[in-house]
Every structure is written in structure tokens, then in C-alpha cells.
Amino acid sequence: AQTVTQSQPEMSVQEAETVTLSCTYDTSESDYYLFWYKQPPSRQMILVIRQEAYKQQNATENRFSVNFQKAAKSFSLKISDSQLGDAAMYFCAYISGGGADGLTFGKGTHLIIQP
Amino acid sequence: EAGVAQSPRYKIIEKRQSVAFWCNPISGHATLYWYQQILGQGPKLLIQFQNNGVVDDSQLPKDRFSAERLKGVDSTLKIQPAKLEDSAVYLCASSLSGRQETQYFGPGTRLLVL
């Protein structure tokens, strides 16, 4: 079974600074997809960024980018120019290429933005 | 485009009572998921539907949980009888056709079992 590990229960960053959230995963499959989801307090989960395992190029969405290291099974999220609205729980998630079994999530990282 | 709708948003029940949650996915989305998110943890898949058929329910406690998706649109998740450990947020998500596509989540139903 696939597992996703987020080793940082909580991270704190000053507004406008850069922060990196860590994620590692374990799988024996070669076809899979990785995601970062954001869950603000009492609000619904939304997709931040996704990465296809077959693509070597790291995904980027505005201030959000990933560092995907396939051999190391590492998938970190970098948030540049942190804003107060970035404060939330961030979940790393995995899904196999076939899509069965749904998303496997890590335990999440609570990101605090210091004004 | 309307998002995934869920109701109720909050529910408090006594243990051994029954409860039902409702989900309306994004229009046209064939795949629907129910996840359970216990406080301090990431969501865990309970069941996945493709249209009105079950794709995966391996983590659904079938002795007390049941789910259905009639006509391949709305879905209902039921717990009967509820246990204290069922206290969690129940999230519904949908995607266009499953596989690796982006899943869109509803606001969730927060259940407290006393």
C-alpha cells in the first residue's frame, strides 16, 4: 500500500518570505500523480498544485512550486512571497495512475504566517 | 459552475443512533468519493463510485457504514449505529471521470458522536 509522510506538523514563516513544506511517499508503481491541497480553517479543501510522475519538469502555479525528486520519492512545496491568506493546513496526496483507491493523504502541515 | 454541495454541515448525535449525509457532486462528474477526516489526520477514502457503481469500498466499515449513489448523481452516506470513534469530518469529492484527475471537495459534514 502507498504511504505519504509529512514530517512537519507545523511551520511558521514571516509574511513575504519563502517556506518549503516537505513530503515523502512510498510506492512500487511507476505511474502516479502527486498533489498539494490547501485546507483553510473551516473551509473546503482546494487544489494547490499537481505533478505527473512521468514529467521531469517541476510544476509551478504562480507563487507555488514543487521540487519533485522521483528517485528519492520526495515532493516538497515551496511557497514564495508568503501571504496571510496562505495560512492553512497543507496536505500532500498521492494517487495511482489508474485512479483506483482514491487519494492517499499525509497527515498535513499547519502553516502559520507571521505578519 | 456550482461546487460540490454537502448537507448537513454539522451533526451531533448520541452513540448507537443513526445519521445520514448527503452529497451533490459537480454537474457532469462521473466519479464521487467519500472521505473520513479524523481530527489531526489527513482524509481517508471510504468509498469511490463511478457513475452509480462502486469502484472501491475496501476501507468502508460495512457493518455500520453504507453508501449509495442512485442514478449516478447524488450520494448518501449512512452510519448505523454510530460509535464515538466515528466523530470526524466527512468529505465528499467529485472528479470528471476518475483516474488521476483533480478531485473537487465539498465543505464537509462535521459529525460529533456523544
Side-chain angles (χ1 to χ4, degrees), chain A residues 33 35 37 39 44-45 47 50 91 95 97-103 105-107, chain B residues 9 33 35 37 40-43 45 48 56 91 99-103 105-107:
Chain A
Y33 297 76
F35 304 82
Y37 276 89
Q39 188 176 42
Q44 63 202 77
M45 195 169 303
L47 178 69
R50 59 175 277 160
F91 292 96
I95 195 167
D101 306 329
L103 288 164
F105 286 87
K107 289 188 174 183
Chain B
R9 293 294 309 276
Y33 309 82
Y35 290 88
Q37 185 177 17
Q41 299 183 19
L45 180 71
Q48 176 182 345
D56 178 24
L91 298 169
R99 296 183 178 270
Q100 73 283 2
E101 292 177 355
T102 297
Q103 295 182 24
F105 285 81

Side-chain angles (χ1 to χ4, degrees), chain A residues 51-100:
Chain A
Q51 174 79 43
E52 294 85 349
Y54 62 84
K55 288 187 178 179
Q56 292 186 334
Q57 186 173 5
N58 289 323
T60 300
E61 288 288 342
N62 300 314
R63 298 184 294 107
F64 299 86
S65 62
V66 299
N67 183 5
F68 174 46
Q69 301 290 327
K70 191 172 184 178
K73 297 181 180 175
S74 171
F75 182 61
S76 60
L77 174 70
K78 185 172 82 171
I79 306 173
S80 305
D81 185 25
S82 297
Q83 300 176 1
L84 294 178
D86 295 334
M89 285 293 293
Y90 285 81
F91 292 96
C92 179
Y94 165 105
I95 195 167
S96 65

Side-chain angles (χ1 to χ4, degrees), chain B residues 18-76:
Chain B
S18 63
V19 65
F21 313 129
W22 173 82
C23 173
N24 181 239
I26 293 173
S27 177
H29 280 197
T31 309
L32 185 147
Y33 309 82
W34 283 102
Y35 290 88
Q36 180 192 58
Q37 185 177 17
I38 293 174
L39 186 64
Q41 299 183 19
K44 182 187 80 171
L45 180 71
L46 292 176
I47 189 166
Q48 176 182 345
F49 292 94
Q50 184 73 18
N51 296 308
N52 61 347
V54 175
V55 173
D56 178 24
D57 63 356
S58 58
Q59 299 191 83
L60 187 73
K62 297 180 186 65
D63 58 334
R64 298 183 301 105
F65 286 65
S66 65
E68 61 182 7
R69 191 183 183 197
L70 299 177
K71 301 180 181 179
V73 182
D74 294 5
S75 177
T76 302

